[in-house]
Amino acid sequence: MSLPLQGKRVLITRPKGQAENLAEQLRVLGAEPILLPTIAILPPEEWQPVDDAIRALEQFYWVVFTSVNGVRTFIGRMGELGVPVSVLAGRRLATIGPATARVLEQACRTPDVIPDEFLSDALPDALGDVKGLRILLPRADIARKEMAHELRRRGAEVVEIAVYRVQQQIGEAGAQLAGQPKPDYITLTSPSTARSLARMLEEAGRINWMATVPLICIGPVTAEAVRELGYQPARVANEHTIQGLIQAILEEAMAHVDTTTNA
């Protein structure tokens, strides 16, 4: 019996160390994953703002994590400073998405709030009344500002700190793409992966992939970044997780099977 993605080549653009889970699940479905890290996760330019926030952690009512990288880096830095994780556990904690919640639970405890929609735009409503509360946002250096603006508009005192940097992997595309045939699907898990991939493909003379290969996006923010680049996503995952992304690939594959069958 053939597998649903038998022989399909799926390009994965996640950073090193974060692609293997998706790759393994795709292999189980018969696909051939192609790993092309388009971004790298690096330490912040300076640790002082992070260290100051950690040492003042008890002054924050909410701590909001929007990514797995944010949780790991923040708690890792707490350990380096000798601040026990129990100090974080004593705050009200919120996360975006089940993967971030799972990592936080493993390192600290279960978050108090996870929005039903796995989007940062959904968080202000999920937190309820935040007027007069101090909120800490440990995030990437390129994180979108909309959530912080909305929380401030509702009366919160928001402190944003960059706990890691996202760096585009420009300059490595030629060697990594040399001899690679065109994939059947391209997966995109953040706006930065979309923008970096476009630059890498342009550098390698393969920018036509963005227009001719189905682009499968993990969520609407990533899809919007694709449109801003001048391309159209083939699918946007209904559940903004790796599982949702895989489901979107399967739906795209099935749609083409149906088209072929009905032709």
Side-chain angles (χ1 to χ4, degrees):
M1 188 175 91
S2 74
L3 297 168
L5 296 178
Q6 189 69 46
K8 299 298 184 183
R9 294 166 51 81
V10 182
L11 189 69
I12 298 176
T13 56
R14 306 200 83 194
K16 288 180 181 177
Q18 299 183 13
E20 193 51 41
N21 179 38
L22 172 57
E24 185 55 36
Q25 293 189 64
L26 290 172
R27 288 190 191 99
V28 170
L29 296 170
E32 176 188 349
I34 307 164
L35 305 186
L36 180 69
T38 56
I39 59 173
I41 305 301
L42 302 175
E45 290 282 358
E46 55 177 340
W47 281 109
Q48 194 60 52
V50 181
D51 295 352
D52 290 345
I54 289 174
R55 292 189 174 106
L57 201 48
E58 291 179 336
Q59 299 176 14
F60 292 95
Y61 187 85
W62 283 105
V63 180
V64 178
F65 293 101
T66 57
S67 72
V68 168
N69 291 316
V71 174
R72 288 176 174 158
T73 306
F74 189 81
I75 294 181
R77 188 63 177 175
M78 288 180 66
E80 291 173 9
L81 295 178
V83 177
V85 75
S86 58
V87 178
L88 179 63
R91 305 298 92 206
R92 297 277 288 172
L93 304 177
T95 63
I96 308 293
T100 305
R102 188 162 48 250
V103 172
L104 181 63
E105 185 172 357
Q106 291 168 351
C108 180
R109 68 169 176 81
T110 303
D112 300 287
V113 165
I114 309 173
D116 292 335
E117 284 189 283
F118 306 151
L119 298 169
S120 58
D121 293 345
L123 190 102
D125 285 343
L127 294 188
D129 185 5
V130 296
K131 187 175 182 180
L133 301 181
R134 295 196 82 204
I135 300 176
L136 179 63
L137 303 180
R139 304 197 290 172
D141 59 335
I142 59 170
R144 297 166 69 239
K145 300 295 184 183
E146 286 82 352
M147 180 173 68
H149 290 164
E150 178 59 22
L151 290 170
R152 291 189 180 105
R153 191 189 69 78
R154 299 184 183 204
E157 180 186 347
V158 179
V159 176
E160 299 176 86
I161 53 171
V163 293
Y164 64 94
R165 282 181 293 143
V166 176
Q167 183 182 73
Q168 293 187 342
Q169 296 295 85
I170 308 303
E172 301 182 15
Q176 295 187 61
L177 292 172
Q180 285 278 1
K182 189 164 70 172
D184 295 287
Y185 308 104
I186 293 175
T187 61
L188 298 166
T189 50
S190 70
S192 55
T193 61
R195 296 183 190 112
S196 187
L197 177 66
R199 290 188 63 184
M200 293 175 81
L201 293 177
E202 186 172 13
E203 182 183 78
R206 299 191 174 189
I207 190 62
N208 66 312
W209 286 10
M210 293 291 287
T212 58
V213 178
L215 305 175
I216 314 298
C217 298
I218 199 167
V221 176
T222 302
E224 184 58 29
V226 168
R227 294 187 189 96
E228 290 173 356
L229 289 165
Y231 304 99
Q232 285 298 318
R235 297 271 167 179
V236 181
N238 290 324
E239 182 183 288
H240 314 314
T241 63
I242 293 301
Q243 290 303 323
L245 189 72
I246 292 171
Q247 181 61 36
I249 298 171
L250 290 169
E251 290 171 0
E252 178 68 10
M254 185 59 67
H256 283 276
V257 169
D258 290 344
T259 300
T260 303
T261 303
N262 294 330

